């Protein structure tokens, strides 16, 4: 019993250190190695044995499975950013629909890029310059940039059926599903997130117009990124149809023609290179930088996954694994709860979901629920507590925008923490009702 207590304390200490390191912006890779060693030292594996054994096994396994996909997604984002294609899509839609629904268009453009597999931090960089033009033009306070962009890139687009983001792809390995798993429940949850999320943001915008303290000069300060000249971008960017084509083709190949995922991304990148060749000044640099932009994020996610692999080898985990399935709550609700807690501890939806599937995937299937609904509920739930203040994506949103957490995190918490958790429970409810009606 004493050894188990020490083991539990070691796991708690390692996760606490991981959270503290994320908050203090210490290297995730460095902290993950130390955390893995602590877990190993307190659970009879040994400090160095844990690092060289299960930690590296989990790390290498994730890199082997996903690094090319992540890098290709980042490359696709580089093409869209450097060519002005992302700007063209947003500008055209707003001109066609007017400023009154500009916030909806802004959210949907970012969501389209995320849905098509472009890595989330890359989409944030793409959206930032455009937001500098749209927000002042339409009266959206800059303090809402993290919340508005968070809704766009870090919620429904990530786990809507068919999405090419990792949180919608990872469950396939453990559950044998497809990206379009549980489409009905997934679409309902996604519509809920979009509609309620937009309603909340419009309420905050209206409130900001009555409260001048929300609109101080510093609220439009941006620490990185260059302002967009509409005239220059209009001359540089490809046409609207050309801009849409590569990402639409990628989605069709992977989701509807069942083309290998890597082949689908490669096709999208090749199309982008060909169709945007006249719009990119330095194609060689764009390709090199775009591909490289996906390497470090993959390394950091793999580092978090490595910790989970060490935990999976401990006696403590064996006890947790054997008892978690017996928690006195509904099976699907339990799946949502476990997934969002693990993602919160990891400060990563992708890392948390990968660990959850590795550690509990078989137990989730043993509940008797169809793999498709398990896939969808877990994917949505991973996007809840992962978005606490130390999450890498959230840190990126605040760092790039120059918005303080005290002014902007309330909207982020509503859009990327509270609403996704509610959406995962909504998916459970919709499935339960649908099955009861169908008999």
């Amino acid at each position: 019993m004493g050894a188990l207590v020490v083991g539990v304390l070691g796991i708690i200490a390692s996760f606490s250190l991981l959270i503290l390191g994320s908050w203090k912006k210490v290297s995730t890779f460095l902290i993950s190695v130390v955390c893995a060693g602590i877990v190993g030292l307190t659970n009879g594996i040994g400090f160095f044995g844990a690092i060289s054994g299960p930690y590296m096994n989990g790390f290498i396994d994730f890199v082997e499975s996903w690094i090319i996909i992540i890098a290709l997604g980042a490359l696709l984002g580089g093409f869209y950013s450097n060519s002005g294609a992302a700007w063209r899509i947003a500008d055209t839609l707003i001109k066609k629909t007017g400023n009154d629904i500009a916030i909806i268009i802004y959210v949907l453009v970012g969501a389209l890029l995320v849905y098509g597999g472009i890595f989330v931090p890359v989409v944030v960089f793409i959206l930032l310059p455009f937001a500098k033009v749209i927000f002042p033009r339409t009266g959206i306070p800059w303090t809402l940039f993290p919340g508005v962009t968070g809704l766009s890139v870090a919620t429904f687009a990530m786990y809507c059926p068919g999405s090419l983001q990792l949180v919608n792809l990872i469950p396939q390995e453990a559950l044998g599903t497809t990206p379009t798993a549980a489409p009905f429940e997934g679409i309902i949850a996604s519509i809920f997130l979009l509609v309620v999320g937009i309603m909340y943001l419009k309420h905050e915008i209206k409130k900001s117009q009555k409260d001048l303290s929300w609109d101080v000069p510093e609220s439009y300060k941006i620490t990185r990124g260059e302002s967009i000249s509409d005239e220059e971008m209009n001359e540089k960017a490809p046409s609207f149809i050309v801009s849409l084509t590569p990402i639409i083709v990628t989605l069709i190949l992977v989701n509807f023609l069942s083309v290998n995922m890597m082949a689908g991304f490669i096709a999208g990148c090749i199309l982008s290179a060909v169709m945007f060749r006249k719009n990119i000044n330095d194609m060689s640099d764009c390709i090199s930088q775009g591909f490289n932009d996906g390497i470090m994020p993959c390394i950091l996610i793999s580092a978090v996954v490595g910790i989970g692999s060490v935990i999976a080898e401990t006696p403590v985990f064996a006890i947790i694994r054997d008892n978690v399935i017996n928690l006195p709550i509904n099976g699907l609700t339990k799946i949502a709860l476990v997934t969002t807690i693990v993602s919160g501890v990891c400060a990563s939806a992708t890392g948390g979901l990968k660990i959850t599937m590795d550690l509990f995937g078989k137990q989730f299937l043993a509940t008797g629920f169809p793999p498709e609904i398990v896939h969808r509920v877990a994917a949505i739930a991973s996007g809840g507590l992962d978005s606490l203040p130390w999450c890498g994506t959230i840190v990126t949103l605040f760092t790039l925008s120059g918005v303080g957490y005290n002014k902007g995190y309330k909207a982020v918490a509503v859009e990327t923490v509270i609403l996704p958790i509610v959406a995962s429970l909504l998916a459970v409810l919709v499935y339960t009702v649908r099955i009861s009606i169908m008999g």
Side-chain angles (χ1 to χ4, degrees), residues 235-254:
E235 293 180 2
K236 173 185 178 181
S239 69
F240 179 68
I241 298 299
V242 170
S243 297
L244 278 176
T245 300
I247 203 165
I248 296 298
V249 169
T250 303
L251 287 168
I252 292 174
L253 288 174
V254 175

Side-chain angles (χ1 to χ4, degrees), residues 41 83 131 151 155-156 172 276 285 313 336 356 358 418:
L41 184 64
S83 67
L151 171 63
T155 61
F156 65 95
Q172 295 179 111
F276 303 160
D285 181 69
E313 298 294 324
T356 301
D358 287 347
I418 296 173

Side-chain angles (χ1 to χ4, degrees), residues 101-150:
I101 61 171
I103 187 173
I104 300 176
I105 299 302
Y106 175 85
V107 168
L108 290 178
V109 168
L112 172 64
L113 299 176
V114 170
Y115 188 79
I118 298 177
F119 198 52
V120 169
V122 175
V123 179
V124 175
F125 276 101
I126 293 173
L127 290 177
L128 178 64
F130 192 72
K132 291 173 66 176
V133 175
I134 293 300
F135 279 45
R137 182 190 300 175
T138 57
I140 303 173
W142 191 251
T143 48
L144 283 181
F145 174 84
V148 176
T149 307

Side-chain angles (χ1 to χ4, degrees), residues 136 140-143 211-222 401-403 407:
I140 303 173
W142 191 251
T143 48
D211 180 6
L212 296 181
S213 66
W214 277 57
D215 194 21
V216 294
E218 288 78 15
S219 64
Y220 286 92
K221 179 182 178 183
I222 300 178
S401 66
V403 176
K407 290 183 176 291

Side-chain angles (χ1 to χ4, degrees), residues 321-364:
R321 179 192 60 206
D322 294 340
N323 287 278
V324 70
I325 212 68
N326 297 319
L327 290 173
I329 56 178
N330 175 275
L332 287 175
T333 303
K334 183 191 310 177
I335 290 169
L337 179 64
V338 171
T339 304
T340 197
I341 289 175
V342 174
S343 297
V345 171
C346 295
S348 167
T350 303
L353 185 58
K354 173 62 175 174
I355 290 174
T356 301
M357 288 293 114
D358 287 347
L359 301 187
F360 301 107
K362 293 181 180 178
Q363 281 71 29
F364 288 169

Side-chain angles (χ1 to χ4, degrees), residues 2-339:
L4 283 176
V5 172
V6 173
V8 170
L9 292 176
I11 292 173
I12 293 174
S14 68
F15 277 131
S16 299
L17 182 60
L18 181 65
I19 292 171
L20 179 63
S22 299
W23 180 262
K24 295 294 185 179
K25 300 181 182 179
V26 179
S27 166
T28 300
F29 190 18
L30 172 62
I31 290 294
S32 71
V33 172
V34 175
C35 290
I38 292 173
V39 173
L41 184 64
T42 55
N43 283 273
I45 303 174
F47 187 92
F48 296 106
I51 295 171
S52 61
Y55 175 83
M56 286 307 302
N57 291 337
F59 184 99
I60 293 171
D61 178 66
F62 188 88
V63 170
E64 183 179 39
S65 298
W66 298 108
I67 190 167
I68 301 300
I69 298 297
I70 294 175
L72 287 171
L75 175 57
L76 189 61
F79 284 129
Y80 269 79
S81 178
N82 284 282
S83 67
W87 178 91
R88 175 68 73 193
I89 293 171
D91 183 67
T92 300
L93 292 175
I94 288 177
K95 284 181 177 178
K96 294 292 184 182
T97 58
N99 287 344
D100 290 342
I101 61 171
I103 187 173
I104 300 176
I105 299 302
Y106 175 85
V107 168
L108 290 178
V109 168
L112 172 64
L113 299 176
V114 170
Y115 188 79
I118 298 177
F119 198 52
V120 169
V122 175
V123 179
V124 175
F125 276 101
I126 293 173
L127 290 177
L128 178 64
F130 192 72
K132 291 173 66 176
V133 175
I134 293 300
F135 279 45
R137 182 190 300 175
T138 57
I140 303 173
W142 191 251
T143 48
L144 283 181
F145 174 84
V148 176
T149 307
L151 171 63
S152 175
V153 305
T155 61
F156 65 95
M158 294 179 65
Y159 28 76
C160 183
S163 174
L164 299 183
Q165 287 297 315
L166 286 186
V167 293
N168 191 45
L169 303 178
I170 285 174
Q172 295 179 111
E173 290 184 310
L175 306 176
T177 50
T178 67
T180 56
F184 185 72
E185 289 78 8
I187 290 173
I188 293 296
S190 297
I191 292 174
F192 165 81
L193 283 164
L194 176 60
V195 172
V196 177
I198 290 293
M199 289 174 61
Y200 170 76
L201 290 172
K202 286 195 170 185
H203 168 74
E204 291 298 302
I205 293 171
K206 185 176 181 180
K207 187 174 73 171
S208 73
Q209 294 170 349
K210 298 178 181 179
D211 180 6
L212 296 181
S213 66
W214 277 57
D215 194 21
V216 294
E218 288 78 15
S219 64
Y220 286 92
K221 179 182 178 183
I222 300 178
T223 59
R224 292 182 64 181
E226 297 297 328
S227 297
I228 289 177
S229 165
D230 284 347
E231 293 78 12
E232 292 178 358
M233 289 302 296
N234 191 49
E235 293 180 2
K236 173 185 178 181
S239 69
F240 179 68
I241 298 299
V242 170
S243 297
L244 278 176
T245 300
I247 203 165
I248 296 298
V249 169
T250 303
L251 287 168
I252 292 174
L253 288 174
V254 175
N255 284 308
F256 300 104
L257 300 181
S258 300
V259 171
N260 175 273
M261 195 179 310
M262 188 182 300
F265 272 107
I266 290 174
C269 289
I270 291 175
L271 266 179
S272 297
V274 173
M275 300 183 77
F276 303 160
R277 66 188 185 281
K278 296 180 179 179
N279 313 101
I280 297 175
N281 295 328
D282 190 337
M283 181 63 73
S284 176
D285 181 69
C286 176
I287 293 174
S288 297
Q289 188 60 49
F291 200 81
N292 288 340
D293 283 344
I295 304 301
M296 184 52 66
C298 181
I299 297 299
L300 298 182
I301 296 170
S302 301
V304 175
V305 170
I307 299 175
S309 298
V310 177
I311 293 174
E313 298 294 324
T314 65
V316 174
F317 171 71
I319 295 174
I320 295 174
R321 179 192 60 206
D322 294 340
N323 287 278
V324 70
I325 212 68
N326 297 319
L327 290 173
I329 56 178
N330 175 275
L332 287 175
T333 303
K334 183 191 310 177
I335 290 169
L337 179 64
V338 171
T339 304

